[in-house]
Amino acid sequence: MEFKNFEKMIEDTNHWQFSIPPMCPNQAEYDIFKRLINKRTPVCLLGQTKILIPLSNYAVDLNPFSNEIFTIQKDWREMTETAKVIIGDGILNLLGLDFVEKVMKLCDTFICRVFLDKFPWMKYATIFPKEFPNSDIIIKTQENIAIVAWNN
């Protein structure tokens, strides 16, 4: 699970902070996350995707840029914090499907929005899975974007 351009990506908070759909979830995708979370808590957000903050109890981010949510400053690959539900946007495009096995040891449900192909504006995503082994739910939300959920 190696990030390409890791240091540059971590420092590039403007890239993440000011993103708009489809770079970040739209309202319909927010509603899907909310439905899949189904009032379970706690919810951990990987990163600080602005639209997903209201659904989350806390976040894990190596370089937080927002004080809207309590954030544990840590690399996702090293996290040990548990939650009923862990959510994220584009996480698997950075870390790949191997990350699912790790994160599922920390939660009951993992929900992630995944880009199925590269968009021209993407700087850091390098992995574009088309299949999601052992997933329970795959919802295609936009062309080349899906929300995928795994349950223990």
Side-chain angles (χ1 to χ4, degrees):
M1 289 186 287
E2 285 299 316
F3 284 113
K4 296 202 179 203
N5 301 312
F6 181 72
E7 292 301 323
K8 184 176 179 187
M9 180 186 71
I10 296 305
E11 294 170 4
D12 192 1
T13 57
N14 284 341
H15 180 71
W16 312 109
Q17 187 173 2
F18 300 110
S19 61
I20 58 171
M23 186 176 170
C24 65
N26 60 30
Q27 185 62 47
E29 291 167 322
Y30 169 90
D31 293 339
I32 292 168
F33 272 95
K34 185 175 181 179
R35 187 181 85 236
L36 294 175
I37 291 168
N38 193 26
K39 300 180 184 175
R40 292 176 291 168
T41 61
V43 176
C44 171
L45 171 61
L46 300 180
Q48 290 191 327
T49 305
K50 198 168 196 70
I51 193 170
L52 298 179
I53 287 174
L55 298 175
S56 309
N57 299 97
Y58 69 96
V60 174
D61 195 307
L62 194 54
N63 189 17
F65 53 80
S66 171
N67 61 6
E68 292 179 53
I69 186 169
F70 172 75
T71 302
I72 298 167
Q73 193 166 350
K74 186 182 280 188
D75 186 325
W76 305 323
R77 297 169 295 180
E78 297 170 3
M79 67 182 278
T80 56
E81 293 72 23
T82 61
K84 283 281 188 194
V85 182
I86 296 177
I87 63 174
D89 180 36
I91 307 304
L92 300 179
N93 299 109
L94 300 172
L95 294 177
L97 291 171
D98 290 345
F99 186 68
V100 174
E101 184 179 338
K102 180 203 179 350
V103 79
M104 288 307 296
K105 294 175 184 170
L106 304 173
C107 65
D108 294 336
T109 301
F110 175 51
I111 307 166
C112 189
R113 193 173 78 119
V114 182
F115 297 95
L116 307 177
D117 285 305
K118 187 167 183 76
F119 287 83
W121 41 262
M122 290 181 164
K123 289 183 176 183
Y124 304 108
T126 59
I127 302 166
F128 303 96
K130 304 289 191 276
E131 296 180 10
F132 304 94
N134 303 314
S135 62
D136 296 291
I137 298 169
I138 302 171
I139 302 169
K140 191 166 182 188
T141 59
Q142 300 180 54
E143 187 169 342
N144 297 321
I145 299 174
I147 293 176
V148 184
W150 287 263
N151 294 298
N152 276 326

